[in-house]
Amino acid sequence: MKWTPTNDKIIVKPHVRKLSDIIIIDNKEVENMGQVIAVGPGRTLQNGRFEEMPVKPGAYIRFGTMNDDRGEEYLKYFPYYEDGVKYLVMSWQDVCFVEEIE
């Protein structure tokens, strides 16, 4: 990947859960976890203070999902495809939690 996000944006490669090869399951679940591939430098707040990114590349995260009712959508991430691989570009504020690796 040759992209570098700006400001408080991150690029995430979502992990899609494999359900079954034998039983066909109609699953309407959307991806809500993945690995951070790239992060922006952070952003400058209105008071002039610089806010660093709280997530780092390689971290496994869970993030919120988009609401089906687009009128109340608050998450603003979008899919991006490169060489047939799906990535999500989002703000770090869409991250719910980071998985601790022991």
Side-chain angles (χ1 to χ4, degrees):
M1 172 172 283
K2 303 170 196 112
W3 298 95
T4 302
T6 60
N7 298 327
D8 69 336
K9 301 297 184 207
I10 63 174
I11 298 176
V12 176
K13 182 177 179 184
H15 289 187
V16 179
R17 214 170 60 164
K18 186 172 182 178
L19 298 175
S20 175
D21 286 335
I22 300 171
I23 302 171
I24 306 227
I25 299 172
D26 184 20
N27 186 13
K28 298 191 185 327
E29 187 176 293
V30 296
E31 60 260 345
N32 68 344
M33 52 197 266
Q35 184 176 15
V36 177
I37 302 299
V39 299
R43 66 179 179 160
T44 303
L45 302 175
Q46 290 180 351
N47 62 5
R49 196 177 121 241
F50 184 75
E51 183 178 51
E52 291 185 20
M53 296 296 283
V55 294
K56 304 288 181 215
Y60 288 94
I61 62 168
R62 285 200 181 252
F63 48 90
T65 56
M66 290 190 184
N67 187 355
D68 285 339
D69 178 15
R70 298 293 184 207
E72 296 183 21
E73 180 180 313
Y74 71 98
L75 299 172
K76 302 294 182 197
Y77 60 85
F78 59 92
Y80 166 75
Y81 294 89
E82 184 175 305
D83 297 330
V85 178
K86 181 180 181 179
Y87 297 95
L88 300 174
V89 179
M90 65 178 69
S91 170
W92 73 265
Q93 295 172 339
D94 293 336
V95 176
C96 296
F97 61 86
V98 179
E99 181 179 337
E100 294 285 332
I101 298 176
E102 300 175 9

